[in-house]
Amino acid sequence: MVEKEAASIIWPGKPLSRAFYNRAATTLAPRLLNKVLAAADGRAGRIVEVEAYVGAIDPAAHTYRGKTPRNAVMFGPPGHMYVYFTYGMHWCCNCVSGPQGDGCGVLIRALEPLHGIAQMRAARPRTAHDRDLCRGPARLTQAMGISGAQNGIDLVGAHDRFAIVDDGMAPPGDLVGSTRIGISRGKDSPWRWSVPGNRHVSGTASQRG
DNA sequence: TAGTTGATTGACT
DNA sequence: GTCAATCAACTAA
């Protein structure tokens, strides 16, 4: 019950403005660290790892070659959720960042579970340790109940199912971008950020920094 | 139309 | 460390 009360504080929480998202992904991405991804059913986790994908200048971005049915949401208004299906089985979740039409977004790679942890465990019954519930982009979508049905929903305005909110914790200081994980092109761009020392960050020990 | 890849994970050696 | 799962999107022809 304590958990449920805490979740009610997070949800709907203090919403982030559309202007917050309406900036280059590389500027927005580290500012998303320590914000909270919250679901209407009470599940919530602190964002501890992100990667920026920067539209037409980024060969690793889905939007690099222009607009397609799959990536159309990325070209839409900032603050919306772009959810895509990959490796035949996994969903990954991005927050669109502006300016509108540029195809920029931020991949949310890891959360530190805060609330609704029992529901996260139920969604990932084979996960032995809570540390791993949201450690990785496809794990967190499964734990939070995010799938293609949520592609395109508004994280700023309607707040009907999911939202990214500010609960007062500032992003970490001394942020340094590192290279992104799991891509074959655009490897050298330092567009990945994480909360230093946080155990819920994905990747190997050397990648976690 | 056929072949390859992928913003990953989990199981296994 | 290696590798299979599994399919939508993309690329080449």
Side-chain angles (χ1 to χ4, degrees):
Chain A
M1 285 306 103
V2 171
E3 186 173 271
K4 189 169 184 178
E5 289 171 12
S8 71
I9 295 170
I10 295 288
W11 185 266
K14 177 185 172 186
L16 300 180
S17 69
R18 197 172 299 279
F20 181 96
Y21 300 102
N22 193 11
R23 65 187 69 232
T26 51
T27 302
L28 170 67
R31 287 165 55 96
L32 278 178
L33 293 176
N34 282 338
K35 297 293 182 291
V36 175
L37 177 61
D41 64 8
R43 280 177 275 187
R46 194 171 303 284
I47 298 171
V48 296
E49 182 185 0
V50 296
E51 286 178 355
Y53 287 87
V54 198
I57 68 167
D58 182 2
H62 290 171
T63 51
Y64 183 58
R65 292 169 204 282
K67 190 174 180 177
T68 68
R70 176 171 73 152
N71 66 26
V73 170
M74 285 273 277
F75 289 91
H80 286 233
M81 185 154 71
Y82 166 51
V83 185
Y84 68 89
F85 187 62
T86 191
Y87 290 101
M89 67 194 88
H90 296 306
W91 297 98
C92 295
C93 166
N94 294 248
C95 180
V96 177
S97 75
Q100 183 168 345
D102 276 13
C104 294
V106 178
L107 173 69
I108 300 175
R109 286 195 57 94
L111 304 175
E112 178 177 345
L114 293 179
H115 308 298
I117 292 173
Q119 294 169 79
M120 294 184 188
R121 291 190 190 118
R124 292 184 52 81
R126 303 181 68 121
T127 298
H129 304 104
D130 288 356
R131 179 194 177 202
D132 295 327
L133 282 173
C134 300
R135 190 165 71 89
R139 290 170 175 168
L140 76 88
T141 56
Q142 192 176 11
M144 291 289 288
I146 296 170
S147 70
Q150 283 76 48
N151 187 38
I153 70 168
D154 188 352
L155 294 168
V156 180
H159 281 191
D160 60 347
R161 281 161 292 180
F162 293 93
I164 299 175
V165 300
D166 185 351
D167 72 339
M169 183 178 286
D174 300 326
L175 280 171
V176 179
S178 54
T179 53
R180 295 172 293 183
I181 294 178
I183 55 175
S184 61
R185 294 174 294 184
K187 281 179 175 175
D188 296 332
S189 299
W191 290 337
R192 170 174 173 261
W193 292 271
S194 60
V195 175
N198 189 290
R199 288 175 49 80
H200 299 85
V201 173
S202 74
T204 65
S206 61
Q207 290 170 318
R208 256 173 260 146

